Amino acid sequence: TPEEEVSQLVIKATSTDGAEWREGDDISLIESGVRYRTLTCRGVDDDNRATFLLEDPLKAEKCGYGAVYPASALLTDDSIDLGRVRLRIPAEQTPTSEYFDTEGDVRVARYQEFDSLPSAIRLSFERVVATGTLRLENLPEGSFINELSIDFGKVVAGELVADLCTGEITYPEARTQLTLRYATS
């Protein structure tokens, strides 16, 4: 297909660690190293592959794509750099009874380059944070927890820089404490 005819790029996303996609999930796509675009998941197939559509993809001499999930984790106040992006992992999170806070489940897809504009690409996301569960036992019957604050002694939140070409993560502003706030109603 000649580049002029590609008006929509189909993006299939997977997660290497089994993280589940949901219809409505937003990713920030770094397109050819010159602009960010927010894309919304249109559907998830039985193999947990999410489908995103990029309307009017940028036509460049070399086309490239990298991405961040959730879109809100990307800090866009810097100039765009196709390799290095700034991300934020919130130090205060609001998990639900069945799922941790999706704003803290930050994943990145490495940057890929193509010699011409493809009609479809596949992005493989990897988590840049660890996930876990906390189990509290022997609480009095009928009691619940409003807030929990944990100091891990190692980086768990704050600002980080992800190099989408190499996968390297650095932490210019790091927090070792995480506060979980649970809904009271």
Side-chain angles (χ1 to χ4, degrees), residues 93-160:
Q93 299 179 18
T94 309
T96 65
S97 59
E98 62 272 341
Y99 200 70
F100 49 83
D101 190 341
T102 56
E103 295 300 306
D105 185 20
V106 179
R107 295 177 244 158
V108 297
R110 288 198 181 181
Y111 195 80
Q112 304 173 50
E113 279 193 341
F114 301 89
D115 289 331
S116 61
L117 185 63
S119 59
I121 62 169
R122 185 175 157 177
L123 294 176
S124 180
F125 284 79
E126 296 178 20
R127 277 192 172 114
V128 295
V129 294
T131 60
T133 58
L134 175 68
R135 192 168 132 179
L136 301 172
E137 297 178 357
N138 299 323
L139 291 173
E141 190 173 325
S143 64
F144 59 92
I145 297 173
N146 291 342
E147 181 178 304
L148 182 65
S149 192
I150 307 169
D151 193 324
F152 292 90
K154 62 181 179 178
V155 174
V156 292
E159 182 183 312
L160 61 94

Side-chain angles (χ1 to χ4, degrees), residues 75 87-91 155-160 171 173-175 177:
L75 299 173
L87 308 174
R88 179 190 59 83
I89 299 173
V155 174
V156 292
E159 182 183 312
L160 61 94
Y171 300 89
E173 177 203 310
R175 304 271 312 261
Q177 190 173 36

Side-chain angles (χ1 to χ4, degrees), residues 7-87:
S7 62
Q8 187 178 76
L9 176 62
V10 176
I11 299 171
K12 291 287 186 177
T14 59
S15 289
T16 60
D17 53 14
E20 292 186 20
W21 292 99
R22 297 180 180 157
E23 191 170 325
D25 282 346
D26 286 337
I27 63 171
S28 281
L29 186 75
I30 294 88
E31 188 179 9
S32 296
V34 296
R35 69 177 171 187
Y36 296 126
R37 309 255 313 253
T38 299
L39 304 179
T40 301
C41 177
R42 304 280 180 107
V44 181
D45 65 20
D46 292 339
D47 293 323
N48 195 35
R49 286 185 301 246
T51 300
F52 297 87
L53 297 177
L54 176 63
E55 302 289 341
D56 298 318
L58 187 66
K59 293 165 182 66
E61 191 172 307
K62 283 220 181 254
C63 299
Y65 304 95
V68 172
Y69 169 85
S72 60
L74 186 66
L75 299 173
T76 58
D77 57 344
D78 286 344
S79 61
I80 295 172
D81 181 327
L82 67 86
R84 296 171 49 86
V85 294
R86 287 184 3 168
L87 308 174

